[in-house]
């Protein structure tokens, strides 16, 4: 136990010496930061509050768009299915996990209205026919004018 105390005292002594200032003393005074005086004439701008904001009567805060999906493909005589989905953020591929409409087509026609939450999204449509070797028909729609209603025509 006695050797443990000696080792601990030696370690503490090394730490105190190693962490010391060790520099030369200077006769120059140390500069301290002075708080700005109240009479300097510089004032920070008054922050804008939400209650101070004004919008014109014509401004619509809604981010929703009514989209009419209008399909007219009379050449589709066999049973088919329509998927209308957002595109994947980093590619032009359809994101089947994020669809706005999934429906069976009757005689290749459909007219359906859906509500989109964001107006400037790209939608991709795939039409699958019940055939073992068929590739889907693909269509793209993007709302570029930011209107409250739009139409996605699939012809």
């Amino acid at each position: 136990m006695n050797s443990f105390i000696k080792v601990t005292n030696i370690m503490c002594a090394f730490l105190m010496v190693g962490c010391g200032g060790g520099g030369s003393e200077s006769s120059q005074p140390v500069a301290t930061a002075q708080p700005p005086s109240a009479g300097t004439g510089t004032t920070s701008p008054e922050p804008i509050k939400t209650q101070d904001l004004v919008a014109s009567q014509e401004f619509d805060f809604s981010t929703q768009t009514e989209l009419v999906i209008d399909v007219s493909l009379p050449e589709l005589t066999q049973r088919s299915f329509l998927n209308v989905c957002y595109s994947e953020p980093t590619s032009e591929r359809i994101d089947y996990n994020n669809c706005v409409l999934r429906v069976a087509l009757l005689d290749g026609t459909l007219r359906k209205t859906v509500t989109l939450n964001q107006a400037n999204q790209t939608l991709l449509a795939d039409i699958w026919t019940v055939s073992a070797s068929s590739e889907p028909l693909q269509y793209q729609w993007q709302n570029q004018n930011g209107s409250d209603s739009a139409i996605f025509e699939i012809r």
Side-chain angles (χ1 to χ4, degrees):
M1 182 75 168
N2 194 17
S3 64
F4 176 73
I5 294 174
K6 286 182 184 178
V7 171
T8 305
N9 287 338
I10 293 172
M11 297 275 291
C12 289
F14 281 123
L15 286 174
M16 290 192 324
V17 171
C19 294
S24 65
E25 290 187 24
S26 172
S27 62
Q28 296 177 350
V30 176
T32 58
Q34 297 293 326
S37 64
T40 60
T42 58
T43 60
S44 58
E46 188 74 25
I48 297 175
K49 297 177 183 154
T50 306
Q51 67 190 21
D52 297 334
L53 298 175
V54 178
S56 68
Q57 293 291 334
E58 297 82 32
F59 186 77
D60 183 12
F61 289 94
S62 175
T63 59
Q64 293 183 339
T65 298
E66 294 294 319
L67 176 66
V68 175
I69 300 171
D70 185 16
V71 181
S72 178
L73 298 169
E75 65 271 13
L76 288 178
T77 57
Q78 51 185 310
R79 190 172 175 180
S80 55
F81 297 93
L82 170 68
N83 294 311
V84 180
C85 309
Y86 291 104
S87 65
E88 292 179 350
T90 57
S91 71
E92 291 295 316
R93 294 180 35 195
I94 193 167
D95 182 3
Y96 289 107
N97 294 320
N98 197 3
C99 294
V100 296
L101 182 65
R102 291 179 183 220
V103 66
L105 293 177
L106 301 175
D107 301 323
T109 61
L110 172 83
R111 187 167 178 92
K112 182 86 173 164
T113 302
V114 295
T115 301
L116 304 178
N117 288 330
Q118 297 174 355
N120 294 325
Q121 292 288 331
T122 299
L123 293 178
L124 300 175
D126 278 356
I127 298 177
W128 295 86
T129 58
V130 181
S131 173
S133 63
S134 70
E135 287 293 316
L137 300 172
Q138 297 178 333
Y139 302 88
Q140 181 177 358
W141 174 85
Q142 184 169 12
N143 188 4
Q144 296 179 357
N145 61 3
S147 67
D148 292 340
S149 63
I151 189 164
F152 184 2
E153 290 184 333
I154 299 174
R155 304 279 185 257

